[in-house]
Amino acid sequence: MEITSSNNSCSSMMWFFKNKGFDDNSVQGIFRRCRRLEDVHQERASENWEYLRSIGIEERKLPSIVSKCPKILALDLYDKIMPTVECLRTLGTKPREVATAIAKFPHILSNSVEEKLCPLLAFFQSLGIPEKHIGKMILLNPRLISYSIETKLTEIVNFLTSLGLNKDGMIGKVIVKDPYIMGYSVEKRLRPTSQFLKSIGLSEQDLQAVAMNFPAILSRDVNKLLVPNHTYLMRRGFQDRQIVALVVGFPPILIKSIQNSLEPRFKFLVDVMGRQVDEVVDYPSFFHHGLKRRIEPRYKLLKERNINCSLSEMLDCNKKKFFMKFGLLEGQALSN
């Protein structure tokens, strides 16, 4: 009887997946990854599917979510899924935040959120992170709930401490800016990146400033991104100390696309504006501004009026202040 019942459940689940648009290969892979589904009745799977849709997950995303975490259809809706969703809702302020978090990391529903959440909150609060920020971090990077505090999160904190980020809640501020940093390997990614940054001339204070302003750079691949960009800056004629100034002033310069971001800005700076490349050392944020939306139109307006100024005077202000600073009428400027 048990074998017959199991076969019936499996057959009904096959029909369930077919009705939801899964192909045969996808269904076979799902059953391989989650044997529990062989004993799940179609009614439970349908009920879970509809509940996930009701909390704001788009139906077109549900096949992908189920493929990532097939067990989501086998979980008890009332004892597991709904309590977990309600717990996650206490972390957010926007209606769709929980749905987005589940879509990113559906395994969050199979974790014991209630058991893991309190220790995780306490851990992040010990780093000086306010509870409202912790909620945003977890919903932005829901994988945080799956990480071990002892073997994973503490290792990242110890690494950040080794960089000298141990004062005035500095580590907490880094994690709030980039919650994804907690998922990287210290030895395979974070330490090699920090060592590279030191090797090109950044002091300990420089490295701390970079980590505080743009912590995501610590998790970028040295050989794929940082080395090619550093080499490009050297080919552009910058000296070591100038490159350090550029990196500290605008850390993303080491990860921006050379072809799509850096090169077009340098060409416009030199070929159109007639400036020297080393002028950006005094204003590294030049590479932050949009070429078409800010740099080109402002340069055009100033050139038409024969106004000379530094890059920071031209770019480091919003549109209203720009017009006021140079005595321009916004209406005339926009018409031009």
Side-chain angles (χ1 to χ4, degrees), residues 51 76-90 109 113-114:
Y51 175 75
D76 187 281
L77 177 61
Y78 301 99
D79 291 341
K80 183 66 177 175
I81 296 180
M82 290 178 69
T84 301
V85 169
E86 290 306 312
C87 185
L88 292 173
R89 278 176 171 160
T90 65
L109 292 179
V113 175
E114 297 90 339

Side-chain angles (χ1 to χ4, degrees), residues 27-178:
V27 174
Q28 291 172 10
I30 287 172
F31 276 111
R32 279 197 303 269
R33 291 196 299 278
C34 184
R35 295 293 183 184
R36 286 175 59 183
L37 286 175
E38 295 176 0
D39 300 320
V40 172
H41 291 283
Q42 181 179 349
E43 290 75 14
R44 167 170 286 190
S46 296
E47 194 175 34
N48 289 2
W49 182 285
E50 288 305 314
Y51 175 75
L52 293 173
R53 196 167 64 86
S54 74
I55 64 173
I57 298 177
E58 297 176 51
E59 187 146 21
R60 65 182 179 83
K61 293 183 179 180
L62 282 172
S64 172
I65 291 171
V66 170
S67 296
K68 290 178 186 176
C69 183
K71 186 165 63 171
I72 207 170
L73 295 178
L75 298 174
D76 187 281
L77 177 61
Y78 301 99
D79 291 341
K80 183 66 177 175
I81 296 180
M82 290 178 69
T84 301
V85 169
E86 290 306 312
C87 185
L88 292 173
R89 278 176 171 160
T90 65
L91 301 176
T93 56
K94 299 177 182 177
R96 295 187 57 83
E97 282 182 318
V98 172
T100 302
I102 294 171
K104 283 182 182 177
F105 185 61
H107 295 82
I108 196 171
L109 292 179
S110 63
N111 277 274
S112 181
V113 175
E114 297 90 339
E115 293 178 8
K116 288 201 167 189
L117 192 56
C118 287
L120 192 63
L121 288 172
F123 176 77
F124 285 130
Q125 285 175 339
S126 71
L127 299 174
I129 304 176
E131 190 169 338
K132 64 177 181 178
H133 290 314
I134 298 174
K136 290 179 181 178
M137 285 165 41
I138 293 174
L139 293 176
L140 180 64
N141 182 17
R143 287 180 181 272
L144 287 170
I145 286 181
S146 69
Y147 298 147
S148 165
I149 292 176
E150 292 77 15
T151 61
K152 179 65 175 175
L153 302 184
T154 300
E155 182 187 24
I156 303 292
V157 169
N158 289 340
F159 167 75
L160 294 174
T161 301
S162 73
L163 299 182
L165 302 173
N166 54 0
K167 301 174 183 175
D168 302 323
M170 294 171 75
I171 292 177
K173 292 174 183 176
V174 166
I175 298 171
V176 168
K177 277 193 174 182
D178 183 27

